[in-house]
Amino acid sequence: DIQMTQSPSTLSTSVGDRVTITCRASQSISNWLAWYQQKPGKAPKVLIYKASSLRSGVPSTFSGSGSGTEFTLTISSLQPDDFATYYCQQYYAYPLTFGGGTKVEIK
Amino acid sequence: EVQLVESGGALVQPGGSLRLSCAASGFSFSDRYMDWVRQAPGKGLEWVGRIRNKANIYTAEYAASVKGRFTISRDDSKNSVYLQMDSLKTEDTAVYYCTRVDTSDSRAFPDYWGQGTLVTVSS
């Protein structure tokens, strides 16, 4: 199975900050990577697919980059609604696998 | 508007069985692959499995942790997908999400998610 490792696991930050979350794959997944946002008690919502494609309706403050084994999710200016947990997922091969998550919390 | 509504979650004893349902609306269900993803309390996301569409002979893929115990099926006439869970273990306790799959490219990922249904396996 392809292991997905996210860092950091927790990020304490403030409104307006630039936030970067890293996701590493245990083998190359080309650019078959998605990023999801999950708020407490809610279902995940896709933000980015194919490593850097912004899902329709997602604010342009979100961006994704990377290919192969190293990927990043960047929030250019953190908004109050962005405090949540973020997960990466590879969909290059079965079984699909998720990173462990990054909780973005208020400093 | 895409809607996915899961049902069937319950408290069940170890070794028992349960069938989850997911009713879909707002899109052409029969064309789509569908996934199940679960989340244990306070933990991360775990992909459970996928069922393809009729054009792909309704074939399915499963995570190793559930293979041989869980079965995904679908009824396109009812716009519904199901997760039959047998030989349940305490570690299967989780919220189970039904997801639609985006198949617009050569690889497919979950795009829309239901609100989930809680399965608790305990004696």
Side-chain angles (χ1 to χ4, degrees):
Chain A
D1 297 2
I2 299 174
Q3 308 302 317
M4 305 301 293
T5 304
Q6 276 182 247
S7 61
S9 55
T10 306
L11 196 54
S12 296
T13 185
S14 302
V15 172
D17 284 355
R18 181 181 181 88
V19 167
T20 299
I21 298 169
T22 298
C23 180
R24 290 185 173 86
S26 60
Q27 66 184 75
S28 177
I29 58 170
S30 184
N31 58 353
W32 302 112
L33 184 102
W35 289 97
Y36 298 88
Q37 176 194 67
Q38 186 179 34
K39 297 180 180 178
K42 300 294 186 182
K45 166 189 166 185
V46 64
L47 303 172
I48 302 282
Y49 63 99
K50 212 171 182 180
S52 60
S53 295
L54 191 68
R55 187 73 175 181
S56 175
V58 174
S60 58
T61 51
F62 289 91
S63 63
S65 65
S67 66
T69 62
E70 296 264 344
F71 302 87
T72 59
L73 173 70
T74 300
I75 310 172
S76 60
S77 178
L78 200 71
Q79 299 304 301
D81 192 47
D82 299 336
F83 290 96
T85 300
Y86 295 85
Y87 294 93
C88 62
Q89 182 203 34
Q90 68 81 18
Y91 54 102
Y92 171 75
Y94 294 108
L96 277 62
T97 46
F98 290 89
T102 296
K103 184 177 182 181
V104 176
E105 60 182 26
I106 301 172
K107 186 183 290 184
Chain B
E1 180 193 3
V2 173
Q3 288 198 346
L4 299 166
V5 180
E6 302 94 337
S7 60
L11 170 64
V12 60
Q13 291 189 337
S17 296
L18 199 62
R19 188 197 198 206
L20 305 183
S21 300
C22 171
S25 61
F27 63 98
S28 181
F29 178 79
S30 61
D31 292 337
R32 297 286 187 156
Y33 298 3
M34 299 294 293
D35 281 3
W36 286 95
V37 177
R38 67 184 181 183
Q39 186 169 35
K43 302 297 184 182
L45 301 168
E46 181 187 15
W47 179 81
V48 172
R50 169 172 292 173
I51 188 164
R52 298 181 180 89
N53 55 14
K54 182 179 182 180
N56 289 278
I57 326 170
Y58 300 127
T59 51
E61 306 285 345
Y62 297 94
S65 58
V66 306
K67 196 169 185 178
R69 299 188 300 122
F70 290 12
T71 303
I72 302 174
S73 62
R74 62 191 292 164
D75 185 338
D76 290 348
S77 69
K78 295 182 179 179
N79 284 358
S80 293
V81 62
Y82 308 99
L83 180 64
Q84 176 67 42
M85 303 185 292
D86 299 319
S87 303
L88 281 161
K89 306 175 181 179
T90 55
E91 53 264 40
D92 294 320
T93 294
V95 172
Y96 285 74
Y97 294 102
C98 161
T99 86
R100 191 186 78 166
V101 175
D102 184 314
T103 52
S104 59
D105 211 326
S106 59
R107 295 292 200 281
F109 65 95
D111 58 358
Y112 285 92
W113 299 56
Q115 285 307 299
T117 187
L118 176 62
V119 173
T120 304
V121 184
S122 175
S123 54

